[in-house]
Amino acid sequence: MRFLSRAFAVADEVFGECMAAAKLVVSRAFGFRHGSTGVVHEEAIGKRATDRYQPPSEAPRHHQQDSVSLRALDNPFSLKVSATSTLIDDTPNSATLPKQPSLPLSVEEILTITKPTIEKLFQDSGSVGASIGVLRHGQQHFVNLGAQGLGVATLPDKDTVYLISSMSKPIISSAVGIIMDDFSTYHLQFDTPVSAVLSELVGSPGILKTYTNQELTIGDLLDLRSSFQWMTNLWESPNGDVPWKTIDPVTSLLQHLPANDTYTSQEGFVYTRNYSNECFSLLATIIERKTGKCWAEYVRKKVLEPLGMHDTFIGLTEAERNNLSRTFAKSHSVQVTGVMPELLQCTDAFEMICRTKIAECFDRHYGHVPQPVEILPSQASSGAGPVGPSPLAAAAGIMSTTSDLLKFYSKMINAYNRRQQQQNSKFVSSPLERGIDHLFSHIERRLSPNPFSSTCTYTGGWNTVTVPMTPEERNASPRPRWPGADGDNARRLESAIQSKVHGDKLDYTFFVTKPELHVLDINTEIEHKPTITDSSETKKHLALYHGGNMVGATSFCWLLPDHETVVVVLCNTRGFLLDAANLSGMLLAESLFRAESDSDSHHDTGAVIEKLNRACEDTEKMAKAIQIDYLYELARYEHTLASRFRELASPPEGASETELDRFQGRYELTKDVFITITGEKGGLILRLYGTGYRYLLRELREENMPENQGLEKAMTFAQPMAELIPSGVGGTNRLKVEDFVVVFKRDKLAGEWKGFQWNFARDKTLSKQGDTNPYFWRRMKEEEDVE
């Protein structure tokens, strides 16, 4: 894919841009459009680099009017939009909010500086299109790149609808806050045990918290502080299907599986979380049980409609998707099949994949590695359940736009700032505002005694972090997650930082203060320690952020409430090679944060521009390192799969029952959780729940077989990425062949196979063997089969 660098467009050129976008079909070029009436040129910024920043009393205030006109909303508690597109909270306390400060650089200038790097990130990731929204002191800015889909000659815009994946969680948590605030009706609190609402879980081992030996509470679900085993591989299908239509498989597994004992203390959750989409599935079910309504309808009525989020969907129907009045981004995945044969040749003298050679291969093919492909949209966003959307959609299935999400995030930061200013609660008049306020009370309790410490805690449906970190805080043990990094990108960013074979030194210091060095005065040869003349370098700021990554989409949002800053990035591609949504969002968040922090200390404009240029360079280096690491892990995965496993031998044509036939059947772990294995063209096919994606089973090669091979037979349903990625799945969670190994067991030679063991949860504490193992899938007899 080749990108064409395009300048920011003024409003009266939108039609011309849309016509020019037709060229995207042929050239696959990325456009970059900024929704602002002003045009900021690179030459102007170069001139500004020589200017010194003047405080507000000495310089005229720079104000850039946004060109986007949004309709006013009828709800009295919703956000109103003025003629200048400045969001105003329509409550009496709005006048007390801080005024927009004068900054060394405007938002438009910051977007211009970061534009080439943002374009490069999306190009390198193989992404097809993206929309970016920035909210800064009530003023909106929109940036749109690429196309709504492959073969679509139209740029996305602020109203293009994307799957926001796990960014659904903060919306659900706000709905829970509304219920908690209405105690007289629902009698729920954050410390209410889950089984008090979901009675089927009474006595279930899965809802015990191993670090306290107490039962899981509703607050724990919001904070991802469960002791659940990892269940994603039981429902994440490569073709986007979500087989769990109800909550029954989740509750059945919690009744069956032991609790995860990875987290041994409350302190273990200070820097990490036990990420579980099932927590938010349970929250959706709790909403239904207490309100008597479909959870999606409750969220729509209590959260989306009051904010005027009319382009946000839960449980999208085919009629809604085909509505021509709205634009839905298509779904895409990214392949790297063109370079894969050469990657597999990057081995050392021991026939092991060599990271250094992978880096050299990447450099040779740089710019031609990813190939985007259109795929079916994730069914997490559909209304596929018997009474509405699957409960899993509460964790990752909401669809929205940058314009709608800025309304929600604006309400969040207003609520936070109102609490910090200790304003009279009588101004918190709507159920939504009270619910968000109630949610923040829970977040503050989790972050106490000092919410402005360096904690990286997940709470209330949000990742929280205080910035900037000091190097000492960043290197603490246990090591905190990098501020802003989420999901796969958090792990891969950390891995890239630790790696030593990427050529350029990775000086990635986003949201981390650099240690001050002693300075030698060349005139006096006296060493001076630099003095801090302003407290802005040490002042802490609480940030809320979240990422999203599902079949066909990636997303990211960042809220810095006391700076009244929001960044949201939505992308129509699941870029396994590189999460451009997360990295570009972090770059913009860091740039906006540095610009405002420097304005407090009256730094000169040139110094700010230099910092932003360096942040862009650091991001590009980090992006390259992450891509190399992914290709290295991918090559190791493919090498392991090919060297340890082989396709099953086909039976002779016309033969009667073969050994392969004896593996066929239905295998059940517990109620509502089962697998079928059938003999089909090409070999044995494994299907979760008897439908959906066809996983071809491969057997362990003879040289790798254990001594008791007659009583056990190991196979894997790990698939080559060339087969998985076009369907939508291929991220870090899939790069472990052992995660998909099943070991069939029987009591005697030539006997019937009793079932197989599959440790889908990566449980490292397994000690039991045979059919008493909690991860043993028992083969059902024909009379037990339930179709």
Side-chain angles (χ1 to χ4, degrees), residues 20 82 109 149 158 276 279 358 404 446 456 459 492 521 537 612 674 687 700 747 753 779:
S82 72
E109 290 170 322
K158 66 182 181 64
S276 170
C279 285
I358 292 289
D404 268 10
R446 281 295 198 210
C456 293
T459 177
R492 294 168 63 185
D521 189 324
E537 293 294 327
L612 267 57
F674 66 93
R687 287 187 175 91
L700 194 67
D747 293 331
W753 296 103
R779 188 178 186 181

Side-chain angles (χ1 to χ4, degrees), residues 650-666:
S650 300
E653 187 175 351
S656 57
E657 183 183 45
T658 66
E659 180 64 21
L660 295 186
D661 294 330
R662 306 178 74 174
F663 292 99
Q664 297 186 51
R666 173 180 168 127

Side-chain angles (χ1 to χ4, degrees), residues 267-284:
E267 289 71 29
F269 287 99
V270 172
Y271 293 116
T272 187
R273 69 231 171 142
N274 183 18
Y275 201 90
S276 170
N277 288 296
E278 293 75 29
C279 285
F280 278 78
S281 299
L282 292 172
L283 286 170

Side-chain angles (χ1 to χ4, degrees), residues 48 60-64 100-103 105-109:
R48 292 263 287 148
R61 191 173 177 180
H62 180 80
H63 177 74
Q64 194 78 19
Q100 179 175 345
S102 181
L103 303 178
L105 293 173
S106 69
V107 174
E108 288 82 0
E109 290 170 322

Side-chain angles (χ1 to χ4, degrees), residues 231-252:
M231 306 178 193
T232 301
N233 281 339
L234 291 178
W235 62 264
E236 185 183 48
S237 173
N239 60 8
D241 180 47
V242 177
W244 291 357
K245 311 302 183 188
T246 69
I247 199 63
D248 293 342
V250 177
T251 56
S252 183

